[in-house]
Amino acid sequence: PEVRPDRPATSSPMASRIGLVAVVLASPAYGLIHNPAPSSLRSSVSGLSRCVSRQEVLKLIPSALGVSAAVASFPPSAFASGGATAGRTTSIPTAKKRYFGRITADVKQFNAMGDAIKAGDLSGAAVTDFWATAGDDFKTAGYLLAVAFKIDGRIPPDKIQQKRDHDALMIALGKLQKATSKRDAPGSQSAFADVREKLDVYLKGVELPESSDKMYQ
C-alpha cells in the first residue's frame, strides 16, 4: 500500500524514526546510498521523501544507528529463553562457586560439634562456635544455594525440592540448638543424629558429598 505522510504511524516514536530513515534513504533523491531501491519502493516513498528535508534525515540517522548498535551489542544469552536449561547453565554454577566453600566450612564445624556432643562436652568451643558462625551461615548460604536449583525461573521457592530439604534441615537444627543450650546430653546426641540425616539429604540435593566424606575432616 502507498505510504501517506499525512497518516499518523501507530508504532512507537523510535520505531517510526528508524522506519523513516530506512525508507527515505532508499530514495535516490538524497544520494545517501549507491544502489537505488527497487522501483516499487521508490514509487511508494516518493511522496514521503519530498516531505522530509535532507537535514532532518541526517539528524535521525544517529538515533536509528544507535538503536541498531545497542541491539547488536547484546550477548546472545540476552535473547535466550528462560526455560529449564537456562537455570541449570547459569544460576547453579554461579551458586556453587559462591556457596560451596562456605557450606563445606560449615559442615566441618558441624562434624567438630558432633565430636564434642559425643564426648558430652556441650559447653565447649566446638559447640558454641558452631552456633555463633556456621549455624547462621547454614540459614543464609544454605538457602541461597538451595533455591538456585530451580528448573524454571517461574517456580516459587517452596516448590524447589532443595529448598524443602533446607527447611527440614533448619527445623532439625533448631531442635539441636535447644538441646545443647539446655545441656541435655542424650537429647543433643539424638538431635544431632537427626540433623546429620537431614544434612546428608540436603547435601546430596545440592550436589555435595555427604557429611561423612573426608573433604569435611
Side-chain angles (χ1 to χ4, degrees), residues 80-105:
S81 63
T85 57
R88 290 200 168 275
T89 57
T90 57
S91 63
I92 292 178
T94 299
K96 287 180 177 181
K97 183 177 180 180
R98 290 178 179 173
Y99 305 117
F100 265 17
R102 289 168 61 177
I103 296 300
T104 298

Side-chain angles (χ1 to χ4, degrees), residues 1-3 19-28 33 35-49:
E2 181 180 358
V3 178
L20 178 62
V21 171
V23 297
V24 173
L25 289 182
S27 174
I33 60 175
N35 297 322
S39 58
S40 59
L41 179 59
R42 293 201 305 271
S43 175
S44 65
V45 301
S46 59
L48 179 61
S49 62

Side-chain angles (χ1 to χ4, degrees), residues 139-152:
K139 296 178 183 178
T140 54
Y143 170 82
L144 293 173
L145 178 59
V147 296
F149 282 79
K150 57 185 179 296
I151 60 174
D152 191 307

Side-chain angles (χ1 to χ4, degrees), residues 9-213:
T10 57
S11 58
S12 66
M14 181 56 70
S16 299
R17 291 183 180 183
I18 297 173
L20 178 62
V21 171
V23 297
V24 173
L25 289 182
S27 174
Y30 287 91
L32 298 179
I33 60 175
H34 296 293
N35 297 322
S39 58
S40 59
L41 179 59
R42 293 201 305 271
S43 175
S44 65
V45 301
S46 59
L48 179 61
S49 62
R50 287 195 297 269
C51 296
V52 183
S53 69
R54 181 186 178 93
Q55 288 74 20
E56 290 174 328
V57 173
L58 291 176
K59 288 179 181 179
L60 291 174
I61 290 175
S63 296
L65 294 181
V67 172
S68 299
V71 172
S73 67
F74 290 165
S77 59
F79 301 97
S81 63
T85 57
R88 290 200 168 275
T89 57
T90 57
S91 63
I92 292 178
T94 299
K96 287 180 177 181
K97 183 177 180 180
R98 290 178 179 173
Y99 305 117
F100 265 17
R102 289 168 61 177
I103 296 300
T104 298
D106 295 340
V107 177
K108 288 180 179 180
Q109 283 191 262
F110 174 77
N111 286 337
M113 178 177 64
D115 292 338
I117 290 176
K118 185 177 181 180
D121 184 11
L122 301 182
S123 58
V127 175
T128 57
D129 288 351
F130 175 84
W131 295 121
T133 56
D136 287 335
D137 201 47
F138 265 129
K139 296 178 183 178
T140 54
Y143 170 82
L144 293 173
L145 178 59
V147 296
F149 282 79
K150 57 185 179 296
I151 60 174
D152 191 307
R154 295 167 295 183
I155 295 179
D158 288 340
K159 292 191 176 181
I160 301 172
Q161 184 58 50
Q162 288 82 353
K163 163 59 166 59
R164 294 176 178 177
D165 296 340
H166 181 263
D167 289 344
L169 174 61
M170 291 299 100
I171 293 173
L173 275 172
K175 294 178 180 179
L176 175 59
Q177 187 173 22
K178 288 181 180 179
T180 56
S181 65
K182 292 179 181 179
R183 304 295 189 265
D184 179 0
S188 296
Q189 292 178 7
S190 176
F192 181 85
D194 184 49
V195 172
R196 182 183 289 280
E197 180 180 340
K198 302 289 193 305
L199 176 59
D200 287 343
V201 172
Y202 169 79
L203 293 174
K204 182 179 180 180
V206 297
E207 300 176 2
L208 276 169
E210 293 185 347
S211 58
S212 59
D213 192 89

